[in-house]
C-alpha cells in the first residue's frame, strides 16, 4: 500500500501543529500508561514507548504466554528485518540479545540492508571481464561482512531449523527476542508521526477470541495493524503481532516532508 501523491502536501495543517509553537511530543504521555484493559489503549502505550525511548516498557507490552511468545518473537524480528529496521548496540545490550547475536540471528544491521548489499555485489559479479581478467567483487561493508543472510532476523521457526530446540526451550533467549523485537519493530514509525496517529478501527480477530486487531492511522491512511492479545480476562493486554501497511521508508519520507513544511 502507498500514499497518494496528494497526501504529503495535505500535511500543511499538521506541519503547523508540529511547528515551533507546539512540540511534537505534546500529545505523548510523559509517564507509562496504566496496563492495557481495552485494545484501543495500545496506541498510548506505543506512542509512549517509541517517543520516550522507554525500552523497559517493551517488557510490559510483550506477550508472556508460551503459546504465542515464540511466534511473536519470530515475527517481530523478521518483519523489522524486512522493513530495514536494525537493532542498535544499546538495544542489543539492554534486551540481553548477545547470545542470539553470537548465533547470528540478530545483529547491527537488518536483513534488508544485508540483502541489498548482496544484490549489488551479485550485479557487479555479472560484469563481463576484459580478456584474461577477473571481476573483483566489491567487499561488503564491515558491519555486514560476517552476517549470514539465512540466519539474520530469522529466528528458528520449526524443528528443521538449526538451533530450533536451543532457542525455543531457552526462556531467556525468547524473552530477549520478543521484548527486543517489539521495541525494534516499532522504531519504523518516525517520532514526528506519533502525535497525530490515531486508532482507525478495532476488530475482533476471527481466528482467536483472545485477540483484538487495532488499526492505527495517520491523517486518514491506515499505516499499521497491531494485535492486542489478552491471555486471560484478569490479565492486561499485550502486543502479539504488528504489521506495517505502509513501509518504514515511506513513513520516513512523510516525516521529512513535515519537517520541511514546518520551517
Amino acid at each position: 500500500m502507498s500514499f497518494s501523491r496528494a497526501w504529503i502536501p495535505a500535511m500543511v495543517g499538521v506541519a503547523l501543529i508540529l511547528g515551533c509553537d507546539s512540540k511534537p511530543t505534546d500529545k505523548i504521555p510523559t509517564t507509562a500508561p496504566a496496563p492495557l484493559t481495552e485494545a484501543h489503549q495500545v496506541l498510548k502505550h506505543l506512542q509512549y514507548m517509541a517517543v520516550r525511548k522507554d525500552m523497559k516498557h517493551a517488557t510490559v507490552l510483550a506477550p508472556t504466554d508460551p503459546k504465542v511468545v515464540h511466534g511473536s518473537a519470530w515475527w517481530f524480528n523478521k518483519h523489522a528485518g524486512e522493513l530495514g529496521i536494525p537493532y542498535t548496540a544499546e538495544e542489543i545490550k539492554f534486551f540481553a540479545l548477545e547470545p542470539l547475536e553470537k548465533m547470528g540471528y540478530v545483529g547491527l544491521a537488518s536483513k534488508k540492508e544485508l540483502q541489498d548489499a548482496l544484490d549489488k555485489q551479485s550485479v557487479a559479479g555479472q560484469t563481463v571481464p576484459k580478456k584474461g581478467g577477473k571481476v573483483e567483487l566489491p567487499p561488503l561493508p564491515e558491519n555486514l561482512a560476517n552476517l549470514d543472510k539465512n540466519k539474520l532476523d530469522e529466528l528458528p521457526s520449526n524443528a528443521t531449523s538449526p538451533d530450533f530446540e536451543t532457542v525455543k526451550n531457552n526462556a531467556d533467549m525468547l524473552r530477549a527476542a520478543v521484548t527486543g523485537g517489539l521495541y525494534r519493530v516499532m522504531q519504523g514509525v518516525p517520532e514526528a508521526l506519533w502525535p497525530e496517529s490515531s486508532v482507525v478501527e478495532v476488530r475482533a480477530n476471527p481466528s482467536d477470541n483472545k485477540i483484538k486487531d487495532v488499526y492505527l492511522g495517520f491523517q486518514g491512511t491506515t499505516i499499521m495493524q497491531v494485535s492486542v492479545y489478552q491471555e486471560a480476562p484478569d490479565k492486561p493486554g499485550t502486543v502479539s503481532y504488528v504489521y506495517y501497511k505502509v513501509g518504514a521508508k515511506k513513513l520516513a519520507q512523510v516525516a521529512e516532508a513535515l519537517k520541511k513544511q514546518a520551517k
Side-chain angles (χ1 to χ4, degrees):
M1 177 180 181
S2 61
F3 292 120
S4 66
R5 291 182 179 179
W7 189 75
I8 292 179
M11 294 299 96
V12 174
V14 178
L16 293 175
I17 293 174
L18 301 181
C20 59
D21 293 332
S22 180
K23 295 180 180 180
T25 54
D26 286 349
K27 298 181 180 180
I28 306 301
T30 56
T31 58
L36 270 170
T37 55
E38 299 290 339
H40 67 87
Q41 296 168 345
V42 73
L43 174 61
K44 287 298 181 186
H45 283 266
L46 296 177
Q47 288 174 318
Y48 167 77
M49 181 179 72
V51 176
R52 304 303 181 190
K53 307 299 182 187
D54 188 347
M55 289 187 277
K56 295 190 298 294
H57 201 60
T59 64
V60 175
L61 289 181
T64 57
D65 187 344
K67 293 180 182 178
V68 300
V69 167
H70 180 263
S72 294
W74 173 81
W75 175 251
F76 291 155
N77 287 283
K78 177 179 174 63
H79 197 38
E82 292 170 338
L83 290 164
I85 307 168
Y87 275 114
T88 66
E90 181 185 9
E91 290 164 2
I92 286 177
K93 182 178 180 180
F94 181 87
F95 292 110
L97 286 159
E98 292 93 343
L100 287 169
E101 181 182 29
K102 186 175 181 180
M103 296 169 72
Y105 293 109
V106 301
L108 295 175
S110 67
K111 190 178 186 70
K112 183 180 186 304
E113 184 181 354
L114 176 59
Q115 189 60 59
D116 288 348
L118 290 171
D119 289 345
K120 289 181 180 179
Q121 196 179 58
S122 177
V123 170
Q126 295 172 16
T127 303
V128 178
K130 294 180 179 179
K131 187 175 181 180
K134 291 184 178 180
V135 174
E136 294 291 336
L137 294 180
L140 291 174
E142 186 177 349
N143 67 321
L144 304 176
N146 296 318
L147 298 177
D148 183 345
K149 70 173 184 178
N150 296 314
K151 296 178 75 173
L152 183 65
D153 295 331
E154 295 279 356
L155 294 183
S157 58
N158 56 58
T160 63
S161 304
D163 306 313
F164 176 72
E165 294 297 334
T166 299
V167 175
K168 191 173 187 300
N169 295 324
N170 189 310
D172 290 338
M173 277 190 186
L174 281 183
R175 190 62 184 157
V178 76
T179 53
L182 175 58
Y183 186 83
R184 171 193 184 185
V185 77
M186 297 313 303
Q187 300 310 300
V189 178
E191 183 176 325
L193 303 192
W194 277 117
E196 299 305 316
S197 296
S198 62
V199 174
V200 176
E201 186 179 8
V202 178
R203 301 179 192 170
N205 186 285
S207 63
D208 192 333
N209 61 13
K210 294 182 178 181
I211 296 175
K212 294 288 180 63
D213 294 323
V214 182
Y215 294 83
L216 304 182
F218 183 79
Q219 290 297 295
T221 298
T222 300
I223 61 174
M224 181 184 296
Q225 175 188 338
V226 177
S227 294
V228 175
Y229 176 81
Q230 191 163 13
E231 183 179 349
D234 61 339
K235 291 189 175 183
T238 57
V239 176
S240 61
Y241 178 79
V242 170
Y243 181 75
Y244 280 66
K245 291 181 173 291
V246 175
K249 182 178 179 180
K250 174 61 71 176
L251 294 177
Q253 290 172 346
V254 172
E256 187 60 31
L258 287 177
K259 288 181 182 179
K260 292 179 180 178
Q261 290 171 355
K263 291 180 179 179

